[in-house]
Amino acid sequence: GKGMGFFMVGGEAGRTLGPIVVAGGLAVLSLQQMAFLGIAGVITSVTIHHLLRGVSLRTGGDHEPVPGRVALRKIGRLMSVLAGLTVFRSMAMSALNLFLVVYLIEQGMSLWWAGAALSIVEGFGVAGALGGGWVSDHLGRRNVILFSHLATPAVLFAFVAADGWAQIALLPLIGLTMFTVTPVMLAMIQDECPEARAFATGTYLSLNFAIRSVAAIAFGAVGDAHGLSTAIVVGAIALLAGVPLVFLLPRRQR
């Protein structure tokens, strides 16, 4: 869990800086010229490939590898439950990652402050990801996921009801509660399938991206029809609806 937390820190740190870079870029570039920011991503990928090409693909503690179909049968039940949880979580994730800036601008906030607000959420998501993974090593993976499914809706309800600086004050809590889960789920998958960790993790991430893509369209449709405030509330309710699935996850001893 702690290891997966460190992994997620890199991703969340990137998403923390991203909104600030984009908001700053829009101040001096046109929307079409923003595409050139992608060059930095290409340079980063080439650099990472160069730095990691000598790293061993396996560690001394790994189990004997098994074929993908065997691993899939072993983790099929867990993957089904995690996919269901991802369905319920994705509406709320869309509210934070894709539509938070739009929502805050509709509330009268400037583009710069709205971008900074997203960076605040993602920045505290760094702490949430690292802390959630570490806590799951000691208190159990399922307990951390349950906490997120109960705490995040409460914060989202308060966020929609608030305005102005009260909303800004709630942003750190959103990041801390929402982003605790991903490293915990990744650690749980690797706990259950040590013989094919890469395959199992890749399968989960593929499902996660596909489900979240569909959820983003659904969130946008609800937002257009009933307003983004209603869509955020729907996302919070969806998190609560996913609580029963949490109890289907494996319980491991400390």
Side-chain angles (χ1 to χ4, degrees), residues 64-222:
E64 194 65 28
V66 298
R69 62 181 182 276
V70 176
L72 197 58
R73 285 198 298 268
K74 181 175 181 180
I75 61 173
R77 180 180 179 278
L78 173 61
M79 204 64 69
S80 298
V81 176
L82 291 179
L85 284 171
T86 302
V87 169
F88 288 113
R89 294 183 61 81
S90 291
M91 286 289 282
M93 292 296 292
S94 295
L96 300 179
N97 289 336
L98 302 178
F99 292 95
L100 178 62
V101 172
V102 179
Y103 172 75
L104 292 176
I105 290 176
E106 286 185 354
Q107 299 295 306
M109 194 172 289
S110 68
L111 174 62
W112 175 257
W113 274 107
L118 180 56
S119 291
I120 291 172
V121 172
E122 297 287 356
F124 279 87
V126 172
L130 183 58
W134 179 79
V135 170
S136 75
D137 288 336
H138 299 275
L139 301 182
R141 316 249 188 255
R142 197 167 77 174
N143 292 332
V144 174
I145 295 174
L146 179 62
F147 167 79
S148 178
H149 272 261
L150 294 175
T152 306
V155 180
L156 288 177
F157 289 141
F159 177 75
V160 172
D163 57 17
W165 288 104
Q167 284 186 320
I168 300 297
L170 288 168
L171 293 175
L173 291 178
I174 294 176
L176 287 171
T177 57
M178 188 70 192
F179 293 98
T180 58
V181 167
T182 303
V184 178
M185 288 182 171
L186 289 172
M188 182 176 288
I189 290 169
Q190 297 191 27
D191 287 340
E192 297 300 311
C193 194
E195 306 90 348
R197 293 190 182 113
F199 174 80
T201 303
T203 300
Y204 166 71
L205 290 176
S206 297
L207 287 171
N208 183 54
F209 291 139
I211 292 169
R212 287 177 61 178
S213 298
V214 175
I217 298 173
F219 186 96
V222 174

